[in-house]
Amino acid sequence: MVVVPVISSKGGVGKTTVTANLCTALAQRGRQVLAIDLDPQNALRFHIASEPQACDTGLVEAATGLMPWARAIRAAHGGVMLLPFGDVDDERQIAFEQQLARNPHWLGETLARFGLPQDMLVVLDTPPGPSVYLQQALRAASFSVVAVLADAGSFATLPIVERMLDKYTRPRADYIGTGYVVNQVDPGKRLNHDVFEVLRKQLRPDLLGVLHLDQAVPEALASAVPVQRYAPMSQATQDIASCADRLLERIAAGPQLHQQHPLSSPRSMEQTR
Ligand SMILES: Nc1ncnc2c1ncn2[C@@H]1O[C@H](COP(=O)(O)OP(=O)(O)OP(=O)(O)O)[C@@H](O)[C@H]1O
Ligand SMILES: [Mg+2]
């Protein structure tokens, strides 16, 4: 079992989009994929679930013994299996978060009990920034995908996730590594282009790929299907395909020697040029 959380320090940078579309691209490449929504927004279902409305129960019900795990996991597009977070009220969400805080390794231990095939990919959508969900995801992580926008705000907050990665993943000998997806790249916009160039220099060789700004992405979401299905010839579909290929290469290469990342300490764009 290979656990791949998709994370970011800032909200709205495309984690759920990247999670959903990577899952379908990985399944298309013949891999068994379980997508888990670790975000109380419970939004992953709108990208890939075959029946999004039926995903009102899931992880929280199963974790609290109200539903068998096998019923909580649903079929999703492209042969992906989906464990939704579930629609949970504030009190149950807080109680679940307290349960996670009491047992820091709950997610890893629970997944281990599933007895999943060794090469199965478990891809986790997470909420933005530090949270008990991110702690659980990183403690269980084999390889992390960081979503980032090519803008100064996204760049400035990268050290927040880098410090979490340094703390929870990089000290582990079995941790494979980290890959970055720069989202909403728009070569027509000068500042976006400049920030992307800085990121490209900083992140190389850990850059998994880019996802261009593409109207097919929000249109696919509005149609509740993955981009590959909505617009198979689109730029976004090609971008996700190359990110999936690179991710599989990195996983196949296995754990590398991890050093503290240069972006774990805050710098301005100017200092890194
Ligand atoms: N490459 C892209 N091109 C165009 N629109 C995009 C692209 N990537 C994401 N979007 C749009 O940006 C919005 C935010 O994306 P998404 O929900 O995936 O972000 P997120 O990081 O999961 O947000 P949150 O932090 O709230 O969980 C969505 O409306 C999505 O359709
Ligand atoms: Mg999201």
Side-chain angles (χ1 to χ4, degrees), residues 11-17 39 41 128 183-184 211-214 217-218:
V13 300
K15 290 176 299 301
T16 307
T17 302
D39 182 346
Q41 290 185 71
N183 189 20
Q184 302 204 18
L211 178 52
H212 287 88
L213 184 72
D214 186 340
V217 173

Side-chain angles (χ1 to χ4, degrees), residues 22 42 116 146 170 185 200 207 268:
L22 263 185
N42 197 27
L116 299 171
V146 181
R170 292 183 177 125
V185 169
R200 201 160 59 90
L207 186 66
S268 68

